[in-house]
Amino acid sequence: MNKKTGTTIITDIRNFTGLFEKFQYKDSDDFLIFIEKYYKIQSDIAKIISTDHHMGTTGDGVLTIFLSENSHIEGYAYLLGIHKALTKLCKEFGNNTSFGIGADYGSVWEIGKGKLNTYVGSVINRSSRIETNTKLFGNTQASIGFHLYNKLIEHFHPLAYDIMKKSNNYDTLLVNNPEVVLISKELMLFYIFEMELKGLEKPLPIFRLSETMAANGTYWDVMEKLLDEKKVKKLKTILT
């Protein structure tokens, strides 16, 4: 087995079973067209951002893993890209359709061969749990885990990262170093709180993407921090 480090992103259509039940007996292929667009836009965005990625699906669930040394940057840019794309897609489709996105950073192992090639790792499970918990926090559709957040802060704010490493509790860190809140805001992220995730020994801090900030001009400012001009230009052609 081949061990790699990467960023995993999981997307999911909320109430997929209910939607499918509603449409499967109708003389309409609108729902299937919606799902095809749902798959395609994620694939298109991933290809623009990086050639070093893996994608897999199970029903409405899509797992994307970025595997380059900059996977934390590419993975977060991808999360922002699909968030904007799926927001628009669900709005156009209607029927109170919504989605969830969860992401984190960690080790994965490549297994299988040919068409059965896939990846396993606790980071995939964490991303899934994070995605599941997005529906618990009102107007939240995308969240990331502490490991991915740490890598982003290490990349953009190494001095703040050094402070974070010395703290064993994120709530205490915020009390003693409130400037950390402003740093997360630069990425349109806000700390929820330390959450218990199934299968993990201790709670981990989770950060939600601000829906308000992601809908205004801040969005492309953040994208330009993450990706080069050529990639941002390509994304704008399919996201605006």
Side-chain angles (χ1 to χ4, degrees), residues 199-211:
L200 298 183
E201 293 182 0
K202 63 178 183 178
L204 290 176
I206 303 298
F207 301 80
R208 68 175 182 84
L209 176 67
S210 167
E211 296 292 324

Side-chain angles (χ1 to χ4, degrees), residues 10 76 113:
I10 289 179
Y76 187 58
K113 296 181 180 180

